[in-house]
């Protein structure tokens, strides 16, 4: 490609609207990459935290002691947050006189579902932007391309002799807008699909833990109801 049609010159000589389209797409691409790196770090940390929690939880640790250990932290996340929300509600309901075991477990499950919803909302943060960027960037780039080509043919119509050299720069600069749109969209779509799958797997693991933990608490609630002395001592 000759120097007259260099990539930088085409961008600088493009019409104002096409330049605005390119600038918008570049900003979307830079923001998408920033969110991609940030979400990758967050989801990787969530997976590591989940594995550490499960190893400790299923090691036979005393639940009261484990809860106190987690509650002493400044903040908890993921499966640990769900566990703390459920166990806190379980202890509170178990201290209420004449509360059936099923009611205790139902209240505990509701508390864990609320915590689960909050955790998933945090994990899905930034994903809507990636989805939006992936879906609309090609159309924004196409708009810039159509506008640039339209201007090129309008200018061509006012010339006595039309040659390819007269319209080539305008068409080339217009096509750059589509290329930048694809450059912004493709990584965003790939990242969105990957992160959505990771969030779905985490949500399934959280849900499975809630079911298993609810079963454990249900057995403890039944045992406490069958042992009034123990229930009175815990209260």
């Amino acid at each position: 490609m000759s120097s007259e049609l260099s990539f930088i010159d085409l961008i600088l000589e493009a019409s104002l609207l096409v330049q605005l389209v390119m600038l918008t797409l570049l900003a979307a691409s830079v923001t998408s990459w920033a969110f991609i790196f940030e979400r990758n770090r967050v989801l990787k940390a969530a997976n590591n935290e989940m594995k550490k929690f499960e190893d400790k939880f299923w090691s036979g640790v005393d639940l009261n002691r484990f809860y106190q250990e987690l509650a002493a932290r400044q903040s908890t996340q993921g499966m640990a947050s769900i566990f703390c929300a459920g166990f806190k509600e379980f202890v509170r309901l178990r201290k209420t006189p004449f509360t059936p075991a099923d009611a205790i477990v139902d209240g505990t499950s509701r508390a864990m579902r609320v915590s689960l919803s909050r955790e998933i909302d945090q994990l899905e943060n930034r994903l809507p932007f990636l989805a939006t960027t992936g879906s609309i960037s090609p159309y924004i780039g196409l708009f810039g391309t159509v506008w640039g080509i339209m201007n090129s043919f309008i200018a061509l119509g006012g010339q006595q002799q039309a040659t390819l050299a007269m319209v080539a720069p305008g068409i080339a600069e217009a096509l750059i807008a589509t290329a930048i749109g694809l450059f912004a969209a493709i990584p965003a779509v790939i990242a969105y699909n990957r992160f959505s799958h990771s969030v779905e797997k985490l949500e399934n693991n959280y849900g499975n833990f809630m079911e298993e933990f609810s079963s454990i608490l249900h057995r403890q609630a039944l045992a406490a109801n069958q042992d009034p002395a123990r229930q009175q001592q815990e209260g």
Side-chain angles (χ1 to χ4, degrees):
M1 181 177 288
S2 63
S3 59
E4 290 80 3
L5 293 178
S6 67
F7 188 80
I8 300 299
D9 289 340
L10 288 174
I11 294 178
L12 295 177
E13 294 175 4
S15 64
L16 178 61
L17 181 60
V18 175
Q19 287 180 339
L20 290 176
V21 168
M22 294 178 182
L23 183 62
T24 300
L25 292 173
L26 285 174
S29 178
V30 171
T31 305
S32 294
W33 278 106
F35 287 169
I36 287 171
F37 287 120
E38 187 264 346
R39 283 296 94 186
N40 184 66
R41 177 183 58 81
V42 169
L43 292 174
K44 185 177 294 185
N47 274 290
N48 292 335
E49 187 71 20
M50 180 187 68
K51 292 177 182 178
K52 292 179 181 178
F53 175 87
E54 286 186 321
D55 291 341
K56 186 67 178 290
F57 181 84
W58 297 112
S59 65
V61 65
D62 180 73
L63 294 183
N64 285 285
R65 184 180 303 172
F66 190 37
Y67 170 75
Q68 295 298 330
E69 177 184 337
L70 293 175
R73 298 180 182 178
Q74 292 183 351
S75 63
T76 56
Q77 61 180 3
M79 200 171 283
S81 180
I82 295 172
F83 165 78
C84 288
F87 194 78
K88 180 180 179 180
E89 184 68 10
F90 173 75
V91 172
R92 187 186 69 83
L93 292 174
R94 194 169 57 175
K95 291 180 179 180
T96 304
F98 309 110
T99 304
D102 290 340
I104 294 176
V105 174
D106 288 342
T108 301
S109 297
R110 285 193 297 269
M112 288 193 292
R113 282 195 296 270
V114 171
S115 180
L116 171 65
S117 178
R118 291 173 180 169
E119 293 300 317
I120 297 303
D121 286 342
Q122 293 179 2
L123 292 176
E124 290 179 341
N125 191 24
R126 315 295 193 187
L127 295 190
F129 180 87
L130 295 178
T132 302
T133 300
S135 61
I136 70 173
S137 289
Y139 296 103
I140 295 176
L142 183 60
F143 170 74
T145 297
V146 171
W147 184 269
I149 293 176
M150 181 182 67
N151 287 337
S152 296
F153 280 106
I154 290 175
L156 183 63
Q159 302 295 326
Q160 295 292 335
Q161 292 182 349
T163 63
L164 181 61
M166 298 176 59
V167 297
I171 294 177
E173 72 185 27
L175 291 174
I176 291 177
T178 296
I180 297 176
L182 294 175
F183 178 78
I186 293 174
V189 171
I190 294 174
Y192 174 78
N193 290 334
R194 177 189 172 191
F195 293 155
S196 295
H197 180 65
S198 297
V199 171
E200 184 178 356
K201 288 181 63 177
L202 284 169
E203 185 175 5
N204 290 336
N205 288 331
Y206 291 166
N208 291 335
F209 167 75
M210 286 171 52
E211 294 296 328
E212 294 170 338
F213 186 42
S214 295
S215 298
I216 295 174
L217 296 181
H218 188 257
R219 289 194 296 269
Q220 289 194 4
L222 287 175
N225 287 344
Q226 294 173 1
D227 189 354
R230 177 182 174 184
Q231 186 176 16
Q232 183 177 2
Q233 183 179 1
E234 291 178 348

